């Protein structure tokens, strides 16, 4: 098979043939594919000064003295740095610039390559031999192909052959991409066709690993993985979409539509102010992770018009502030956002995994899927806060706070053993609910996201253990004075820990926390310390310090049917806290029902079948467990309902008076003056999805 220079590759990509969309030139399809791959590899930036430093520090045998080649770390295996350095050197040698074609650079580059090939370093984590190493070694070999000896080529291909098409989701995409690289070196057209097909087959909506019907992303079983595998998937699909365009392997329209929907209806929801939501980051809670992951998503959105030009305006608008509410029913996660703030809650169930700890990462993340609730305005509220956190007090969770260390999560399969976890959304407002149960502690928790408020309810909190139980409202960086309203008046707190009896509200950093009927709360606004090593083992033990604000409710030891209610307001001010809270009414909060009213809307969670009396919509009944949001529009009402158990085929809703609804079978009971609306609920892939009803 022919080989091509960079100049030839660039000439092909930017020739009038492609600019004006004419058919591909009469070159063999693998030659054209290879030219595209080379352009993709060479698009990576490289600093000449850095490469010069690498040349100067390389030892005579082709190694570097600062790399521990005996390292057996499973995550962030530092030996792989040798290959990434070789790739930087190969890019500098091949690209136009001061070092292009430099003889000394070439000599050292091949010396470094020989050092790797002779030693064939193996990480104990399967990912590196099959994915990580070939993913970097193959581009080096493609760039230096004409300079390699027969032995170097053979030894390199032997290492690349460890990547075989298989597995699922993003792992399958990575493996298939490595097979394409290897096959471009040995000219195996059949392998390339199989690998291309495998990549395109992963652009599919299913309940398996990969893109879900709600456009979230799962990997390692049923774990939401937007910011880890899901981001890598989006980046790789963009990369291969660019490489395959104008070739025989171009993505078809159906695949492109799925990829587009994944980005615009899924990924764009989980970043705020150039930070990724903690609940989307997965186990990779490393320094700068939130910012770097958000930047990666922004780059994908900015580049997608090159492969999906008919939707350019949608991609340009994707990363701008927008308003909406979305419940990801396949991932037990709700996002509620406006132009000025972002809120989210992440749950888990017997269907959806909560979190994971692989390769000694996220070793404190035991409660990250237990109703973790985050509130963002500036975007800096939680940036790299992880070494400072008390991990038994994840915001939004109800958990034990004892002396025993938290268990370390497995890599997959860590669930809450409940099927009652879900939510409902009308696109602008929504509800999330969770029947929580872990480690002999149970609680019924619900979140009502109405406009600029989150109304948080808990009931049936029970434990037989002699260990303190806390509901953490927030644990966030402390940026402004803390103002508290109690029975005796309003005051600003000094920076220590406080027990506050009869508290009406607390304001800190633009967030207001309101307690209907007053509550006894505990608060700390003080310096906390910790180390990154406590979060992920490979990090240093150096002490990190920062000012942290923590607000919580103490349910005591062995609570029986304890409950809580608090409202969280964005853009809070002392002068308007009471007025904003007056517009919200908690109708019921017990282990059977939880319900809230706000002008023009009511949110109802039926953990058990029953009836809830509302002031705006009268009595509302449900025949089975469900979540319901009712809004009024002119003379009609809109009901948004879902099944948190994902088990129901249908549901009957009871409303006062004689009603009509085209999407339901209506039975009017004249004696009780109740209309029963029987509806068919979404099933299979859409089980748990919101059903919308117009009721007259």
């Amino acid at each position: 098979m022919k080989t091509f220079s960079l100049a030839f590759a660039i000439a092909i990509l930017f020739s009038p043939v492609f600019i004006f969309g004419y058919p591909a030139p009469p070159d063999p399809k693998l030659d054209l594919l290879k030219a595209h791959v080379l352009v993709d590899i060479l698009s990576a930036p490289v600093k000449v000064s850095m490469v010069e430093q690498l040349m100067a520090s390389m030892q005579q045998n082709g190694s570097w003295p600062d790399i521990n080649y005996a390292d057996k770390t499973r995550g962030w295996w530092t030996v792989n740095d040798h290959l990434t350095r070789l790739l930087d050197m190969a890019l500098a040698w091949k690209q136009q610039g001061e070092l292009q074609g430099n003889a000394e650079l070439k000599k050292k580059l091949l010396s470094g390559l020989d050092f790797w090939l002779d030693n064939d370093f193996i990480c104990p984590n399967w990912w590196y031999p099959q994915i990580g190493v070939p993913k970097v070694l193959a581009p080096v070999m493609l760039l230096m192909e004409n300079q390699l000896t027969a032995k170097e080529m053979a030894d390199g291909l032997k290492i690349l052959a460890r990547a075989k098409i298989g597995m699922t989701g993003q792992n399958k995409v990575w493996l298939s991409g490595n097979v394409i690289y290897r096959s471009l070196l040995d000219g195996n057209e059949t392998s390339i066709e199989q690998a291309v097909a495998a990549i395109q087959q992963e652009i599919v909506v299913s309940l398996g690993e990969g893109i879900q019907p709600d456009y979230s992303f799962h990997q390692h079983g049923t774990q939401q993985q937007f910011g880890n595998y899901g981001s890598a998937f989006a980046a790789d699909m963009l990369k291969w979409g660019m490489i395959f365009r104008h070739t025989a392997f171009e993505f078809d329209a159906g695949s492109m539509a799925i990829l587009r929907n994944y980005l615009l209806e899924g990924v764009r929801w989980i970043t705020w102010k150039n930070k990724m939501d903690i609940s989307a980051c997965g186990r990779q809670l490393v320094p700068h992770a939130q910012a770097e992951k958000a930047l990666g998503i922004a780059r994908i959105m900015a580049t997608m018009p090159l492969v999906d030009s008919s939707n350019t305006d949608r991609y340009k608008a994707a990363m701008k502030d927008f308003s909406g509410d979305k419940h990801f029913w396949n991932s037990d996660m709700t996002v509620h956002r406006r132009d000025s703030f972002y809120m989210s809650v992440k749950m888990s169930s017997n269907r959806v995994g909560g979190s994971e700890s692989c390769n000694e990462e996220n070793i404190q993340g035991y409660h990250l899927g237990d109703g973790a609730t985050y509130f963002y305005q500036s975007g800096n509220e939680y940036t790299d806060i992880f070494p400072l956190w008390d991990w038994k007090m994840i915001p939004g969770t109800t958990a034990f706070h004892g002396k025993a260390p938290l268990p370390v999560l497995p890599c997959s399969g860590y669930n809450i053993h409940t099927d009652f976890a879900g939510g409902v959304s009308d696109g602008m407002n929504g509800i999330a609910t969770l029947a929580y149960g872990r480690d002999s502690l149970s609680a019924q928790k619900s979140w009502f996201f109405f406009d600029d408020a989150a109304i948080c309810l808990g009931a049936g909190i029970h434990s037989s253990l002699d260990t303190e139980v806390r509901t953490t409202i927030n644990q966030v960086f402390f940026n402004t004075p803390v103002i508290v309203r109690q029975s005796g008046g309003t005051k600003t707190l000094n920076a220590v820990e406080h027990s506050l009896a009869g508290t009406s509200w607390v304001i800190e950093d633009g967030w207001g926390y309101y307690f209907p009927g007053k509550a006894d709360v505990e608060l700390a606004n003080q310096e906390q310390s910790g180390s990154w090593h406590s979060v992920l083992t490979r990090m240093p033990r150096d002490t990190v310090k920062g000012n942290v604000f923590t607000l919580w409710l103490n349910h005591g030891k062995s609570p029986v049917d304890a409950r809580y209610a608090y409202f969280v307001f964005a853009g809070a001010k002392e002068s308007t806290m009471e007025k904003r809270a007056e517009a919200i009414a908690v109708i019921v909060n017990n282990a059977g029902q939880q319900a809230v009213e706000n002008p023009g809307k009511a949110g109802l969670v039926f953990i058990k079948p029953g009836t809830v009396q509302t002031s705006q919509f009268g009595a509302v009944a449900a025949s089975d467990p469900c979540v319901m949001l009712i809004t009024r529009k002119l003379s009609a009402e809109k009901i948004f309902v879902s099944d948190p158990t994902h088990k129901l085929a249908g549901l009957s809703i009871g409303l006062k008076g004689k009603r009509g609804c085209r999407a339901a079978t209506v039975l009017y009971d004249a004696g009780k003056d109740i209309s029963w609306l029987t509806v068919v609920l979404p099933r299979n892939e859409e089980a748990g999805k919101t059903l919308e009803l117009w009721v007259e």
Side-chain angles (χ1 to χ4, degrees):
M1 188 178 72
K2 298 178 184 177
T3 59
F4 289 83
S5 67
L6 172 61
F8 180 80
I10 293 175
I12 287 178
L13 282 184
F14 296 99
S15 69
V17 168
F18 292 108
I19 293 172
F20 298 104
Y22 294 125
D27 297 88
K29 61 182 180 181
L30 296 196
D31 289 347
L32 183 58
L33 179 65
K34 190 170 188 177
H36 287 205
V37 166
L38 287 170
V39 170
D40 175 72
I41 294 170
L42 286 161
S43 66
V46 63
K47 291 184 178 179
V48 169
S49 59
M50 180 187 66
V51 173
E52 289 174 338
Q53 290 175 9
L54 292 176
M55 293 170 63
S57 60
M58 178 182 277
Q59 300 183 116
Q60 193 169 7
N61 66 352
S63 67
W64 278 280
D66 62 324
I67 294 179
N68 176 16
Y69 291 95
D71 181 24
K72 296 298 180 184
T73 306
R74 294 182 57 83
W76 296 88
W77 184 50
T78 56
V79 185
N80 205 53
D81 290 348
H82 183 97
L83 288 178
T84 59
R85 293 177 182 185
L86 292 185
L87 181 54
D88 284 334
M89 294 169 72
L91 288 168
W93 185 80
K94 196 77 172 179
Q95 290 174 347
Q96 293 183 2
E98 297 176 41
L99 293 177
Q100 184 184 25
N102 182 279
E104 181 64 18
L105 173 57
K106 172 186 169 183
K107 178 182 176 181
K108 295 212 168 191
L109 172 55
L110 293 177
S111 175
L113 179 61
D114 288 339
F115 180 79
W116 186 277
L117 297 177
D118 291 343
N119 288 277
D120 191 14
F121 299 100
I122 302 290
C123 178
N125 179 355
W126 72 270
W127 189 89
Y128 280 97
Q130 297 183 45
I131 295 176
V133 167
K135 195 167 179 282
V136 186
L137 176 60
V140 173
M141 294 178 63
L142 282 163
L143 291 175
M144 302 301 295
E145 183 177 4
N146 292 337
Q147 313 302 318
L148 302 180
T149 65
K151 183 179 185 304
E152 287 169 334
M153 178 63 74
D155 290 347
L157 288 173
K158 182 179 178 181
I159 293 174
L160 300 184
R162 291 177 183 139
K164 294 179 173 59
I165 301 170
M167 306 191 77
T168 58
Q170 178 55 25
N171 284 329
K172 185 176 180 180
V173 175
W174 276 322
L175 288 165
S176 301
N178 287 344
V179 169
I180 290 175
Y181 285 149
R182 184 193 74 226
S183 301
L184 287 173
L185 288 164
D186 66 15
N188 190 329
E189 183 173 342
T190 300
S191 291
I192 288 178
E193 291 175 344
Q194 292 171 345
V196 170
I199 289 173
Q200 298 205 35
Q201 286 165 7
E202 288 305 300
I203 310 179
V204 62
V205 174
S206 76
L207 292 177
E209 293 192 344
I211 301 174
Q212 300 299 296
D214 61 2
Y215 292 108
S216 59
F217 192 95
H218 286 182
Q219 194 85 43
H220 288 180
T222 57
Q223 288 186 66
Q224 179 265 104
Q225 295 271 12
F226 267 131
N228 187 358
Y229 293 93
S231 293
F233 177 89
D236 260 19
M237 286 306 175
L238 170 60
K239 164 187 165 178
W240 291 113
M242 294 277 287
I243 290 171
F244 294 159
R245 63 178 179 163
H246 307 307
T247 74
F249 309 110
E250 191 162 19
F251 287 161
D252 60 38
S255 296
M256 188 57 66
I258 293 172
L259 180 58
R260 179 189 313 126
N261 288 339
Y262 171 58
L263 292 171
L264 298 179
E265 297 183 31
V267 172
R268 85 168 183 135
W269 279 84
I270 47 79
T271 64
W272 175 258
K273 301 293 184 187
N274 303 315
K275 301 291 192 307
M276 181 171 283
D277 185 351
I278 294 170
S279 283
C281 287
R283 71 177 188 264
Q284 294 179 332
L285 301 180
V286 301
H288 317 303
Q290 297 141 287
E292 290 175 358
K293 288 176 181 291
L295 179 60
I297 296 302
R299 286 171 175 165
I300 291 169
M301 295 296 185
T303 312
M304 272 301 294
L306 294 177
V307 294
D308 189 21
S309 58
S310 61
N311 289 276
T312 296
D313 291 343
R314 296 181 66 190
Y315 291 116
K316 286 183 177 179
M319 301 308 292
K320 296 179 181 178
D321 293 341
F322 67 95
S323 297
D325 182 281
K326 180 159 186 172
H327 177 68
F328 292 94
W329 69 87
N330 295 113
S331 290
D332 292 342
M333 181 172 172
T334 295
V335 174
H336 182 76
R337 54 190 296 161
R338 296 293 188 266
D339 289 347
S340 58
F341 69 85
Y342 176 107
M343 306 174 178
S344 73
V345 58
K346 180 183 179 182
M347 307 170 289
S348 57
S349 62
N350 56 16
R351 303 177 305 270
V352 176
S355 189
E356 67 178 3
S357 178
C358 292
N359 306 324
E360 299 182 315
E361 298 171 334
N362 190 36
I363 56 179
Q364 299 274 14
Y366 188 73
H367 290 302
L368 288 178
D370 293 1
T373 310
Y374 304 112
F375 303 102
Y376 301 85
Q377 289 184 97
S378 70
N380 297 318
E381 286 83 354
Y382 309 95
T383 301
D384 293 342
I385 198 173
F386 312 116
L388 309 178
W389 255 357
D390 180 338
W391 286 81
K392 296 175 183 175
M393 299 182 70
I394 300 300
T397 63
T398 300
F400 290 117
H401 198 269
K403 294 181 180 179
L406 289 171
V408 177
L409 295 169
C411 201
S412 64
Y414 193 68
N415 301 71
I416 292 177
H417 299 296
T418 180
D419 60 8
F420 194 86
V424 69
S425 177
D426 68 358
M428 290 302 292
N429 299 286
I431 307 165
T433 187
L434 169 67
Y436 177 73
R438 195 188 296 291
D439 302 333
S440 303
L441 174 62
S442 58
Q444 173 56 45
K445 299 169 68 69
S446 292
W447 299 259
F448 300 81
F449 296 104
F450 289 172
D451 302 318
D452 60 357
I455 301 100
C456 307
L457 303 183
I461 303 171
H462 179 86
S463 169
S464 58
L465 297 183
D466 188 33
T467 305
E468 185 178 294
V469 175
R470 296 179 177 182
T471 293
T472 303
I473 299 169
N474 211 349
Q475 188 179 189
V476 65
F477 278 119
F478 166 39
N479 292 309
T480 63
V482 178
I483 303 170
V484 174
R485 175 83 176 174
Q486 294 174 278
S487 301
T490 302
K491 62 182 177 181
T492 300
L493 299 182
N494 56 338
V496 293
E497 190 166 318
H498 305 265
S499 293
L500 304 170
T503 305
S504 296
W505 50 256
V506 176
I507 294 179
E508 196 278 327
D509 199 25
W511 287 104
Y513 308 91
Y514 183 88
F515 304 94
K518 297 187 174 65
D520 296 339
V521 304
E522 297 190 26
L523 181 155
N525 54 318
Q526 57 191 359
E527 185 178 77
Q528 291 181 193
S529 61
S531 75
W532 278 104
H533 182 80
S534 68
V535 182
L536 56 163
T537 306
R538 68 175 179 272
M539 294 295 290
R541 298 177 183 270
D542 299 354
T543 298
V544 178
K545 296 181 180 181
N547 295 323
V548 177
F549 167 79
T550 309
L551 181 64
W552 72 96
L553 299 164
N554 191 337
H555 305 296
K557 298 179 179 179
S558 306
V560 177
D561 197 28
R563 63 189 66 191
Y564 64 80
Y566 60 88
F567 311 159
V568 182
F569 296 115
K573 297 179 180 178
E574 294 179 58
S575 59
T576 58
M577 281 291 287
E578 273 84 5
K579 184 176 181 180
R580 292 173 72 174
E582 287 172 1
I584 299 169
V586 176
I587 306 171
V588 60
N589 181 26
N590 59 47
Q593 288 89 33
Q594 293 176 309
V596 172
E597 275 195 275
N598 192 235
K601 63 182 78 71
L604 307 99
V605 177
F606 291 92
I607 304 98
K608 298 177 181 178
T611 302
V612 172
Q613 184 69 42
T614 72
S615 63
Q616 300 175 89
F617 307 100
V620 181
S623 63
D624 296 274
C626 65
V627 187
M628 201 180 307
L629 173 62
I630 307 177
T631 62
R632 174 164 287 131
K633 189 169 185 178
L634 301 177
S635 61
E637 293 168 1
K638 293 185 76 172
I639 297 178
F640 303 85
V641 63
S642 73
D643 166 27
T645 72
H646 292 212
K647 293 180 177 179
L648 299 176
L651 171 74
S652 292
I653 301 169
L655 299 174
K656 190 70 175 175
K658 191 171 185 179
R659 304 299 188 96
C661 179
R662 294 181 181 180
T665 301
V666 182
L667 178 63
Y668 177 60
D669 185 334
K672 296 181 179 180
D673 192 27
I674 295 176
S675 294
W676 285 95
L677 285 60
T678 300
V679 297
V680 176
L681 292 168
R683 297 287 290 154
N684 302 318
E685 290 187 344
E686 295 189 335
K689 183 180 179 180
T690 296
L691 176 68
E692 180 180 338
L693 306 170
W694 279 90
V695 181
E696 298 177 346

